[in-house]
Amino acid sequence: MKQFLKYLLGFFALLFLVVNLISFGSLYSLNKSDFYKPCYLVNSIDEVEYDYVIIGASTGLTTLNTTIIDSITGMNGFNLSIDDTGMANHYLMLKHFLAEGKKTASCILVASAEEYGKNQEFIGDNDYRFLPFIKRSYVQNYFSSLKPKSAINVLKWSEWMPFLGVSYYNIELFFPSLIATVKPSKRNRFDSKGNYAYPNRKLNNDTKKPKTNIRVSFKSDYLNKLKELCHDHNIELIYYFSPLRTKSLSFDDEFIKSIDHSNIFKDDTYFYDDIHVNTYGNKKASLLFAYEFINNY
Amino acid sequence: MLFNSVTFLIFLPTVFILYWFVFKKSLTVRNILLLVASYVFYGWWDYRFLGLIIASTLVDFTLGICLSNKKFDAYRKLFLIISLVFNLGLLGFFKYYNFFIDSWVSAWGLVGVEFHPSTLQIILPVGISFYTFQTLSYTIDIYRKKLAPTKDFVSFAAYVAFFPQLVAGPIERASHLLPQFSKIKSFDFEFAKSGVGLIVWGLFKKIVVADNCAYFVNQIFENPIGYSTLELWIGVLFFSFQIYGDFSGYSDIAIGVSRLFGFDLMTNFKFPYFSRNIAEFWRRWHISLSSWFRDYLYIPLGGSRGNKWQQTRNVFIIFIVSGFWHGANWTFVIWGGIHASLFIPLLLINKNRKYVNAHNYKLKDGISVLLTFIIVSFAWVYFRADNITFALEYTFRMFSIDDFSITSLYKTSKTLLFALISVFSILVMLWLEFRAVKKKYNEVHLSGFGLLCISVLILFLGVFKNPAEFIYFQF
């Protein structure tokens, strides 16, 4: 038995060492690359002062194009949105931006009605993109404050055992780190100003349902944290509601500073699906936003 | 409880420590520990169905004693019938009740008679097909006077519910496993070490091979109309490796875990995709089930005795029943029928035992191996399909020869990655298995370095986020 326990101990110790070394290398490689937006922001963005930044999930990423907006307004903006994320991640992204010593006058929040109305309990599906910065206290606090969807909080424990996060998210972290090692300047579906647009495609009209009204109530606890963060850094928080194909919005609070584009497109030509615009929609929405932004804010 | 879960990661070392360090002196206490652990393992999934295992245990334990009691000699057949009716009744009710009702209604519908009997919302208890066969083998062997009944209820209950093999086999015979509960074990380092190797190898086959293949298989079988001829073939080939990795992976883990407690379970898979014909395939695939049917159905039917017509009939029955054992669906019956129609010609030309003792492979055997693999893969379509219409449509499209694109394999970087991992892991598996076949081993042997490499591959190529359930749990 003693021999077996020694064997197991030796085997697991060696395995632990090897997989942690590989994982450490993997996170290091990502940390030094432009593959994911949090890393790109740290490694390749030298500008410090911005007129505005956009935070949000896929609708923020694919609706507002900062290059188009800047060409109209003469401002300098950056799109910080990450697809498939929630309000908590938007807060984390702004915090990450500020932690880099960068500044912005305005913050455009592009979130869905559902995100505003609920408190986020769980770690988001794309939050692993902050794992290369796990040693930073605000990232560690973030992973500790939310519940994991897995049996154990692999992201939180990755501070000490990086193999947990890297192996759990192997498709999303381990393999991209191999690409990042070979080509550190490769970006994962965003341009140098943080934008991405869905391609144009013909939508099937059979799938179109009558518009349903959604009431937006501003109850999310992370929204409150975001407001506080903006207040502390003198940032004007502006809500943007992106075009919707099958929904219309009404609001609990009529006095918020917002640009509501939820109902601007009647034509399917501009949509990629029910909640995202395509490249046409991206251009048009960005133009309309730019004029409204420069006139009202 | 799943072998590839965090819960099991805590459960296994706990039971191991209690077994070898705390309860090392008393055999009965050790067996009680294994029994309780097995009930916890099973109850973790759904404790309500523990009652079925306990009932099955009580009935067969009692019948076993009655069968050997000289006072009841006149009733021996009756006791056997009670055991058969009880165990097959349980299986029939939980697994086949709705199937028979639906088939009955459909049959009458064909002649224009319509009626609407009520079906029940029955949950299929995990592992019922496995443990009922295990308890049945016990009473049948006692009836045949091949086995003496045990008077130790705890040993018998632990044998029926032994957690490593309770829910998906191997289906153990009482004559092999039960005596192992009757002697106190001393720890065997080499045996336990080989168990660790098998656990790691089984996890590789399940988490890396099967679960990565499942990514494509599920997409393609969800909507085959959207895929080309070549992609449908790829879907089937990937499913062949998915089901093999999934099921043989489970068996390997079960055997490996048993070895940690000093128990020896039978080999369930002997590299079936290196078979040179269908007959050899069935001597290598799910051996515990094939041999169960051989001993308790094929031989009583007459086996290979009698003329060719009787032999053909017996083989046909075995394959149909074996298909039906897998699930209450006509697709499984057809799957069994396909295998029967491939096996029977070999029987008729006396080639069914051609490779029984032929362990050496020649170069030309490669073609036989490939052909056998392709026809086995083709039959898997009926195993995987939800219904016959779907299976027929899938088969028709496989041979429609109109489009050979493989764009779905690389439509996004993620799908390309899954495809590459699947192919790479299949090649690793086949390479290591081929080495074992050449050395005439029954299982893959990994050196210390090999074990480390496979563990690293599990961690960096495995599917952890959305793992697929073990396929054989549904049987």
Side-chain angles (χ1 to χ4, degrees), chain A residues 29-45:
Chain A
S29 167
L30 280 175
N31 191 306
K32 298 293 171 202
S33 77
D34 292 346
F35 198 82
Y36 288 128
K37 212 174 266 183
C39 304
Y40 175 66
L41 191 69
V42 172
N43 297 320
S44 298
I45 302 290

Side-chain angles (χ1 to χ4, degrees), chain B residues 34 87 96 99 124 149 197 206 209 217 239 279 283-284 322 365 392 451 468:
Chain B
L34 286 180
N87 286 300
Y96 300 105
F99 170 76
L124 179 68
K206 163 63 183 158
V209 178
V217 172
F239 180 67
R283 282 192 295 275
R284 291 171 175 271
S322 169
D365 287 334
L392 287 172
L451 200 64

Side-chain angles (χ1 to χ4, degrees), chain A residues 81-100:
Chain A
S81 307
I82 300 178
D83 60 313
D84 212 3
T85 51
M87 191 66 82
N89 187 285
H90 311 334
Y91 166 78
L92 177 63
M93 193 62 187
L94 185 62
K95 197 141 185 162
H96 184 60
F97 174 83
L98 296 169
E100 281 303 297

Side-chain angles (χ1 to χ4, degrees), chain A residues 1 3-5 7-8 11 14-15 18-19 22-23 151 166-172 174-175, chain B residues 6 16 20-21 187 189 192-193 196 260 414 417 421 451-452 455-456 459-462 464-465:
Chain A
M1 179 57 86
Q3 195 184 3
F4 182 67
L5 293 178
Y7 167 78
L8 279 186
F11 172 71
L14 192 59
L15 180 65
V18 170
V19 294
I22 294 172
S23 303
V166 177
S167 62
Y168 187 79
Y169 293 99
N170 49 20
I171 295 282
E172 296 86 355
F174 177 66
F175 290 98
Chain B
V6 176
F16 182 85
W20 290 109
F21 295 99
F187 190 81
F189 170 67
K193 196 174 131 188
V196 173
L260 294 183
K414 194 175 176 181
L417 202 51
I421 294 172
L451 200 64
L452 186 72
S455 304
V456 171
L459 286 170
F460 293 112
L461 304 185
F464 296 100
K465 237 167 44 175

Side-chain angles (χ1 to χ4, degrees), chain B residues 11 45 59 70 107 125-126 163 167 171 182 220 272 305 335 340 352 363-364 368 376 387 436:
Chain B
F11 172 85
W45 169 72
V59 167
K70 285 203 164 55
V126 166
F163 74 87
V167 290
I171 302 166
S182 306
I220 293 172
R305 284 166 292 160
W335 173 74
N352 58 316
L363 200 58
K364 63 173 185 175
S368 312
V376 165
N387 55 62

